Amino acid sequence: MLKKKWGFSVLASVLLLSTVLTGCGGDDNTKTITFWTPLTGDDGAYMDQLVKDYNATNPEIKVKHVITADMYTKISTVLSSGKGVPDLSIIHADRVPGYVKQGVLEPMTDVIAAQPELKQDNYLPQAWSTGTIDNVQYSVPLDIHANVMYYNKDLLAKYGVESFLDDNVVTIDEMLSLQGKLDEGDYVVNDALLGWVILAQIQNLGGDIQQDGKPAVNTPVMKQAFEEVKKVNDAGLMTPFGEDGYLMFQSGNVLFSTDGTWSSTAHAGVEGLNFGVTNVYSTSADKFTNRGSSHLFAMLKNEDRSEEKVAGIGQFLEFIRANSMEWAKAGQIVASKQVNESPEYKNYMQSFFTSDEKETQSLYIYTYEYYPYIAEAVDTYCGDIVRGNVDIDETLQTMQKFVEDKIAESAGAAQ
Amino acid sequence: MSNQMAEQVNKSPLINNSKAKKGSSISISKYISYLFLLILCVIWIVPVVFGITTSFRSQTEVVSSGFRLFPKEWIFDNYVTILENTSTAPILRWLVNSLYIASLHTFLVVVVISITGYGYSRMNFKGRDTLFFTLMGISFFPGVVNLIPSYKIIDSLGWVNSAWAMIIPGLAGMGNIFLVRQFMRGIPKDLDESAHVDGAGHFRIYWSIIMPLVRPVLIVCALFSFTGSWNDFLWPVIVFTDVDKMPVTAGLLLLQDIYGNYRMIGQLMGSAILAIIPTLVIFLFAQKYFTQSINLNSGIKG
Amino acid sequence: MKKKMSLAPAFFVGPHIILFLIFILLPTIYGIYASFTKWNLMSDPTWVGLDNYRTILFDGTSTFHTQFTNGLKNTLLFVLFTVPVLIVLPLLIAVALEHKKVKGKGLIQAVLYVPGLISISAGALIWLLLFNKQLGFVGNLFNSDVSWPANQPYAWIIIIVITVWGGVGGNLIIYRASISGVAQDLYESASIDGAGPIRRFASITLPSIRFPLIYTFVMTTAGAFNVFGQPLMMTDGGPRQSTHVLMMYIRQLAFGNGESIAGMASAMAVLLGIVILIISALQYYVMNRNAA
């Protein structure tokens, strides 16, 4: 009996306490810019710092940074209910064409008009133009985050192949030259972001994923891209299927890891891992591509967004353009030239990718409107193709059909 | 802590073996029971221990080859990192929010399911079972795509960004009611029939006869509801925008990295461990009660 | 007596029905409606009649047909592999724990229950590390040279292992709570009568938990049909999509990258719902008849 009472009183006091705690709060929505980002983890903390720095300049309208773990689903819910749409958000490059077509993005025209420095010349051009559709600008870029290749310096020395890096491009032939020369348990390359690597080879081979607006998956170029990468696997040089190649690189058993710019901080956290970064391996010595996406500031359609807020957004974006060095800490390639051309930026490993014109051009962002479906198809099937588990021709047909079926089902809904 | 647990489990058969020298059939069956439980416990606890110890490992050690159940060097950085990040992550606030949401939800669940379960098992009304099975059947439709309409309903009730969005909708679930109904069906009919004859109304029978008898299962349901509400992260991510109002599981998602959350393995383990401590404590507290043996004649035995 | 009861049922089951109508029926009706439309989750759905169902069920060349059949097949396999274990194993444990002389019941129960509390992402990571060739004990202690997530039948095995590991505790405590309802006197008098453990199980334990047993059977099966976290985390559906379950396809269609194909996803969800409905109705019918 006593216990029962005790239980109830605990419950009661918890409820009371929490009601008191949750009872307060409430914002003046007209005086703040609600800013949604999908930046969880450390990235969110860096962005938080940037927002704090901006608010410390005492702007008329302050920015409220809201990190959401499942932002795109959340965007769907608020757009469909029409309430609670954020004033500003960060979206990924591949979302732009779809959102524009569905008419849910507001052009940045007014924002840009008020802020003369928010223009293509001040940013990495491909990051800026990924938001340009029919000559209308829908976004302002924050960064490019690309698929890059880390290398283990000690292993390169061990096998005497530092020369691979001489021309800044490691070719598949160079990697194949190591066949039979590695100790047991060592591998030349892992399969991190394998789908991204395949899509980079498409560029290296001079192909594309679309033809006249139609998806082009089942193509000779795609087949060649797969076959080239498959050679590495067939020679026993790729980390085994199903093994965590990313961790194996951190364990110091893999010469090259094809993961993202954002992994540099994690790799740096591993003691004794002596690593550097270079371009993703290529089919030829003449061309290399680092497939990327981009974080973009964009405004979802929201009728309640006042002119003052739009002006405030412009000020905020201009502040970011001039002050986003903080964002380099996240490992990303900052899009603003003022930042990525400054001497301080050179301290960051990813500055390699803006170090010269050829590097800058190697950062490639796909802007085809149905790119997400193609990427999904490639990600779903690339492992089995490269590992030789499936017939390549048949699977390419399946992938082509996969993309076409999805496009057919989505197009009608958008009308 | 878990190490001790494992040891205790390991030791106990020996202690008891020496004690029991009664009937041989009892000791054989006991021996088999022990062996069976022992093997299971070891298989079950090793991953848990490994998870806990991994939260005390540096990334360097996580990726170094070879299997070690315990870290070479215990480090606390993972927890420090998780708890330090208080600007974006008011973890204590989240815990309070979760406690409020889960407790109130659980309390209401127990009220709703016991009353409703009674209605569907001990009362007679026309179409009772048809109604029950219809509701049950409807609830079997996977609710994945129902996210949008559910959100619209919450929105029109004005519950976006409010704890009610997590407390109330779950009360509509059929699972626990089904369980309670099944338990109540197992109680002999003559118990309440004789009470009816004595003039007791439904509420009296529910409260003073049936409720005490189904207490163990209500505690189990309470446990499931509390854990379920505590661990839910898909829904709160959608309905909460304010960091300050989030429950802890949704909040912890904000600490994980977007690019596959295994970048920092120790940290992921650390946050998972932190998140289960409260539910574990509740379980340890509750398990005393749901296995209490009940005698139909003399009430709760203890 | 009958007259008095006319309003009482409304009081007992009414409040829940109102909650059910608002929070389950309404969204479900919308979900079923969506299955007859093309819908991207954002703009209004466009009515297409039975097109989605026709594509999924009869258009053999369609990706959605292939996804549905492959997903359903794998889901059924998952149900077959895990449900019997999730029913029988906890029952055996509960019986073993009922043994009067077994000490540390609470501790054993806690050990078996804890995995169910751990989030699926953390649990999957733990098991993947344990099964890792280089870092885990499976490779190091047993000298296994297989990459588990990428080869069958190992891919299924690790999915089953993590499911059983995380799922046994819940059913176990339901059985424990039911058995505790059985008067100890019954066991004692049965022991004195010389009834062995098997007899005691068959004549006392089993009858006493027959109703909860129906519950665990039906609900564990329904839950298994909704699986997606374990295969997603452990194998990502591979190798060659042989562990790609239906719910994974449904979620990819509705919430994948690219524009949502939620109408098709809804149709698949409705079909899955019908399968669950039929199977659970059969289970209930058969078991309830035997239990009555």
Side-chain angles (χ1 to χ4, degrees):
Chain A
M1 213 50 209
L2 208 70
K3 270 179 190 162
K4 217 180 199 172
K5 269 187 185 160
W6 183 79
F8 269 115
S9 56
V10 166
L11 183 68
S13 45
V14 164
L15 296 186
L16 193 70
L17 179 73
S18 323
T19 325
V20 172
L21 280 174
T22 47
C24 44
D27 301 292
D28 186 0
N29 276 327
T30 57
K31 280 277 169 248
T32 41
I33 292 165
T34 318
F35 171 42
W36 282 12
T37 74
L39 306 169
T40 53
D42 288 344
D43 294 2
Y46 298 129
M47 181 48 72
D48 239 40
Q49 189 57 48
L50 282 171
V51 171
K52 241 180 230 158
D53 293 347
Y54 174 70
N55 287 338
T57 65
N58 273 321
E60 231 170 284
I61 304 183
K62 292 197 173 179
V63 174
K64 187 183 169 201
H65 180 208
V66 177
I67 307 169
T68 53
D70 193 2
M71 191 184 74
Y72 293 109
T73 309
K74 215 168 146 130
I75 284 180
S76 297
T77 56
V78 292
L79 283 176
S80 78
S81 85
K83 274 191 283 180
V85 180
D87 297 306
L88 180 67
S89 43
I90 283 187
I91 61 173
H92 288 92
D94 53 335
R95 294 278 172 172
V96 176
Y99 276 3
V100 169
K101 195 175 152 206
Q102 291 157 47
V104 299
L105 278 193
E106 197 75 57
M108 279 280 179
T109 320
D110 294 347
V111 173
I112 295 167
Q115 297 289 339
E117 296 306 316
L118 297 182
K119 57 180 180 190
Q120 177 147 17
D121 294 350
N122 286 334
Y123 293 92
L124 293 174
Q126 62 271 56
W128 178 272
S129 63
T130 187
T132 322
I133 290 176
D134 297 334
N135 293 318
V136 179
Q137 190 65 24
Y138 289 93
S139 64
V140 172
L142 170 66
D143 69 19
I144 290 181
H145 46 285
N147 177 204
V148 296
M149 189 158 84
Y150 296 94
Y151 54 88
N152 183 321
K153 290 180 182 168
D154 298 337
L155 282 181
L156 286 181
K158 177 179 167 189
Y159 293 108
V161 291
E162 288 114 320
S163 59
F164 283 5
L165 301 173
D166 287 350
D167 53 354
N168 279 338
V169 49
V170 178
T171 62
I172 289 178
D173 287 338
E174 279 173 330
M175 296 201 296
L176 289 173
S177 72
L178 279 166
Q179 186 170 9
K181 293 184 182 153
L182 298 186
D183 291 352
E184 206 194 322
D186 281 357
Y187 297 92
V188 172
V189 70
N190 65 13
D191 59 358
L193 297 181
L194 189 59
W196 293 50
V197 174
I198 299 290
L199 288 170
Q201 305 311 331
I202 303 278
Q203 291 303 311
N204 292 338
L205 294 165
D208 200 0
I209 55 169
Q210 63 152 330
Q211 200 174 5
D212 309 322
K214 296 258 181 337
V217 183
N218 187 12
T219 58
V221 172
M222 183 69 89
K223 186 176 176 184
Q224 199 186 342
F226 274 114
E227 279 173 339
E228 293 287 333
V229 176
K230 190 167 178 293
K231 280 184 194 163
V232 182
N233 174 69
D234 293 350
L237 302 175
M238 190 178 274
T239 54
F241 193 26
E243 295 294 317
D244 195 324
Y246 174 89
L247 290 185
M248 288 173 85
F249 177 74
Q250 293 193 339
S251 308
N253 295 312
V254 184
L255 274 75
F256 298 110
S257 173
T258 50
D259 53 288
T261 36
W262 54 88
S263 298
S264 60
T265 49
H267 291 331
V270 179
E271 274 169 54
L273 181 67
N274 191 6
F275 70 102
V277 71
T278 186
N279 303 302
V280 170
Y281 61 85
S282 171
T283 48
S284 80
D286 309 327
K287 184 152 190 212
F288 55 89
T289 306
N290 299 302
R291 249 273 295 136
S293 179
S294 176
H295 285 126
L296 306 165
F297 294 96
M299 301 189 294
L300 294 162
K301 278 255 160 70
N302 179 357
E303 281 162 18
D304 300 336
R305 193 185 288 113
S306 62
E307 273 174 43
E308 289 160 295
K309 275 194 188 176
V310 172
I313 288 170
Q315 281 173 25
F316 176 60
L317 297 188
E318 170 58 20
F319 177 87
I320 295 285
R321 188 191 68 79
N323 298 287
S324 47
M325 186 61 74
E326 181 78 15
W327 192 241
K329 288 185 189 163
Q332 319 289 25
I333 301 160
V334 178
S336 161
K337 282 191 176 165
Q338 186 174 332
V339 175
N340 69 37
E341 285 172 358
S342 81
E344 192 192 339
Y345 187 72
K346 298 278 174 283
N347 298 329
Y348 295 96
M349 184 172 255
Q350 69 269 28
S351 62
F352 174 81
F353 299 98
T354 46
S355 56
D356 63 40
E357 190 60 21
K358 213 176 166 203
E359 283 300 335
T360 308
Q361 278 169 8
S362 79
L363 299 169
Y364 188 83
I365 303 170
Y366 281 100
T367 51
Y368 175 49
E369 79 174 290
Y370 297 116
Y371 161 76
Y373 293 149
I374 292 179
E376 195 185 341
V378 171
D379 285 339
T380 309
Y381 294 97
C382 66
D384 285 320
I385 295 180
V386 168
R387 306 311 185 144
N389 287 347
V390 290
D391 179 75
I392 188 164
D393 293 306
E394 209 179 291
T395 311
L396 285 176
Q397 266 176 34
T398 313
M399 288 164 67
Q400 177 76 28
K401 180 84 172 114
F402 176 102
V403 175
E404 283 170 2
D405 283 351
K406 287 211 162 189
I407 292 173
E409 277 308 315
S410 70
Q415 300 310 310
Chain B
M1 185 188 83
S2 327
N3 185 25
Q4 280 175 351
M5 272 205 224
E7 266 173 27
Q8 272 179 15
V9 175
N10 286 340
K11 276 180 200 158
S12 40
L14 298 171
I15 299 165
N16 285 289
N17 238 8
S18 55
K19 271 188 205 163
K21 282 177 187 164
K22 292 173 197 165
S24 65
S25 84
I26 288 183
S27 68
I28 288 173
S29 72
K30 187 184 71 183
Y31 187 74
I32 294 170
S33 299
Y34 260 131
L35 194 67
F36 171 66
L37 291 173
L38 173 72
I39 294 170
L40 280 177
C41 282
V42 171
I43 300 174
W44 255 244
I45 199 75
V46 164
V48 178
V49 172
F50 182 70
I52 294 170
T53 59
T54 299
S55 71
F56 293 102
R57 281 175 231 247
S58 63
Q59 184 77 359
T60 315
E61 201 185 319
V62 170
V63 300
S64 63
S65 306
F67 177 70
R68 248 173 259 103
L69 189 55
F70 297 100
K72 253 190 302 194
E73 192 190 341
W74 294 75
I75 58 141
F76 295 87
D77 300 21
N78 295 319
Y79 288 96
V80 173
T81 317
I82 298 165
L83 297 170
E84 220 172 36
N85 192 350
T86 42
S87 70
T88 39
I91 216 163
L92 290 176
R93 182 68 179 250
W94 290 341
L95 283 168
V96 173
N97 293 344
S98 277
L99 211 54
Y100 169 71
I101 290 168
S103 315
L104 189 53
H105 173 72
T106 304
F107 174 73
L108 293 173
V109 162
V110 171
V111 172
V112 170
I113 62 174
S114 60
I115 290 179
T116 317
Y118 181 91
Y120 285 120
S121 62
R122 316 296 297 184
M123 298 178 99
N124 291 309
F125 57 91
K126 217 179 148 201
R128 182 191 72 177
D129 288 355
T130 316
L131 177 64
F132 176 78
F133 288 118
T134 309
L135 298 189
M136 208 50 216
I138 293 168
S139 73
F140 277 144
F141 282 91
V144 239
V145 204
N146 303 352
L147 191 72
I148 303 288
S150 299
Y151 179 83
K152 281 186 177 170
I153 290 165
I154 292 300
D155 191 17
S156 52
L157 289 167
W159 289 351
V160 170
N161 235 337
S162 139
W164 296 116
M166 283 200 71
I167 295 169
I168 304 298
L171 301 179
M174 289 300 292
N176 286 326
I177 292 174
F178 184 27
L179 181 55
V180 171
R181 170 187 182 267
Q182 292 299 90
F183 259 76
M184 287 183 176
R185 289 184 70 197
I187 299 168
K189 279 274 177 216
D190 32 333
L191 265 181
D192 34 341
E193 266 159 26
S194 60
H196 265 305
V197 173
D198 292 347
H202 272 299
F203 195 78
R204 264 240 352 251
I205 298 172
Y206 156 75
W207 185 251
S208 48
I209 298 180
I210 304 295
M211 274 288 268
L213 288 174
V214 295
R215 211 173 74 144
V217 74
L218 288 182
I219 292 171
V220 168
C221 288
L223 197 62
F224 287 169
S225 305
F226 192 92
T227 314
S229 165
W230 190 277
N231 288 347
D232 188 8
F233 60 88
L234 293 171
W235 180 239
V237 161
I238 300 301
V239 292
F240 287 104
T241 305
D242 270 354
V243 173
D244 282 349
K245 289 179 181 169
M246 279 182 189
V248 68
T249 347
L252 285 174
L253 280 185
L254 301 181
L255 299 185
Q256 290 172 11
D257 277 298
I258 14 179
Y259 318 98
N261 34 27
Y262 60 90
R263 244 164 87 185
M264 296 295 187
I265 288 174
Q267 270 181 41
L268 175 72
M269 290 298 170
S271 58
I273 304 296
L274 286 179
I276 68 165
I277 290 173
T279 41
L280 183 60
V281 170
I282 299 268
F283 172 77
L284 294 175
F285 184 74
Q287 77 163 350
K288 265 198 199 154
Y289 297 96
F290 66 72
T291 51
Q292 229 165 24
S293 72
I294 292 160
N295 193 308
L296 289 187
N297 301 315
S298 59
I300 295 153
K301 243 173 41 173
Chain C
M1 191 166 104
K2 267 168 197 153
K3 270 179 194 166
K4 245 171 74 184
M5 269 162 57
S6 57
L7 264 180
F11 175 75
F12 277 82
V13 303
H16 171 262
I17 289 180
I18 294 170
L19 290 168
F20 186 90
L21 292 180
I22 299 173
F23 296 109
I24 295 185
L25 186 63
L26 227 56
T28 305
I29 289 175
Y30 196 89
I32 294 173
Y33 160 71
S35 73
F36 297 101
T37 67
K38 269 187 184 179
W39 185 33
N40 65 3
L41 293 184
M42 290 193 270
S43 22
D44 289 329
T46 324
W47 184 263
V48 294
L50 287 167
D51 278 6
N52 294 336
Y53 290 98
R54 216 172 286 137
T55 310
I56 294 169
L57 293 173
F58 305 115
D59 182 358
T61 62
S62 165
T63 304
F64 306 108
H65 175 79
T66 333
Q67 289 190 342
F68 180 75
T69 44
N70 184 50
L72 189 61
K73 185 195 88 195
N74 291 331
T75 305
L76 283 167
L77 284 176
F78 178 82
V79 170
L80 282 177
F81 291 148
T82 58
V83 173
V85 187
L86 286 175
I87 299 298
V88 174
L89 190 60
L91 195 53
L92 291 176
I93 300 169
V95 171
L97 279 174
E98 252 349 272
H99 206 292
K100 256 190 110 184
K101 292 272 163 38
V102 170
K103 293 281 180 334
K105 288 177 185 171
L107 187 67
I108 295 170
Q109 199 166 266
V111 165
L112 297 171
Y113 187 75
V114 166
L117 300 174
I118 298 174
S119 71
I120 180 77
S121 54
L125 190 53
I126 292 175
W127 280 101
L128 284 175
L129 286 173
L130 288 176
F131 280 100
N132 188 295
K133 227 164 41 176
Q134 270 188 302
L135 310 173
F137 73 85
V138 180
N140 282 296
L141 267 53
F142 299 107
N143 245 333
S144 139
D145 204 29
V146 206
S147 171
W148 289 63
N151 293 285
Q152 291 291 22
Y154 306 99
W156 271 125
I157 293 175
I158 55 173
I159 290 172
I160 296 164
V161 164
I162 189 178
T163 307
V164 171
W165 177 70
V168 154
N171 283 348
L172 171 65
I173 64 171
I174 291 174
Y175 294 144
R176 292 273 290 147
S178 352
I179 294 174
S180 75
V182 184
Q184 276 300 318
D185 321 1
L186 281 179
Y187 281 106
E188 273 157 30
S189 55
S191 290
I192 291 162
D193 292 348
I198 295 167
R199 268 270 312 277
R200 285 203 305 272
F201 174 74
S203 62
I204 305 175
T205 312
L206 211 50
S208 74
I209 60 164
R210 66 190 189 279
F211 290 117
L213 198 60
I214 297 175
Y215 167 87
T216 54
F217 222 110
V218 171
M219 295 309 279
T220 307
T221 310
F225 271 106
N226 279 295
V227 67
F228 80 96
Q230 294 92 321
L232 180 73
M233 295 295 204
M234 299 303 280
T235 62
D236 200 12
R240 273 174 287 152
Q241 305 200 50
S242 59
T243 56
H244 212 298
V245 292
L246 186 53
M247 199 48 96
M248 282 168 72
Y249 287 119
I250 294 177
R251 299 191 73 90
Q252 271 168 13
L253 285 173
F255 304 109
N257 286 327
E259 195 179 349
S260 169
I261 306 174
M264 196 63 79
S266 299
M268 287 192 191
V270 169
L271 289 170
L272 178 61
I274 292 171
V275 172
I276 299 175
L277 201 60
I278 292 170
I279 290 186
S280 49
L282 275 174
Q283 283 178 332
Y284 186 87
Y285 177 73
V286 171
M287 293 186 71
N288 198 45
R289 210 178 43 173
N290 291 340

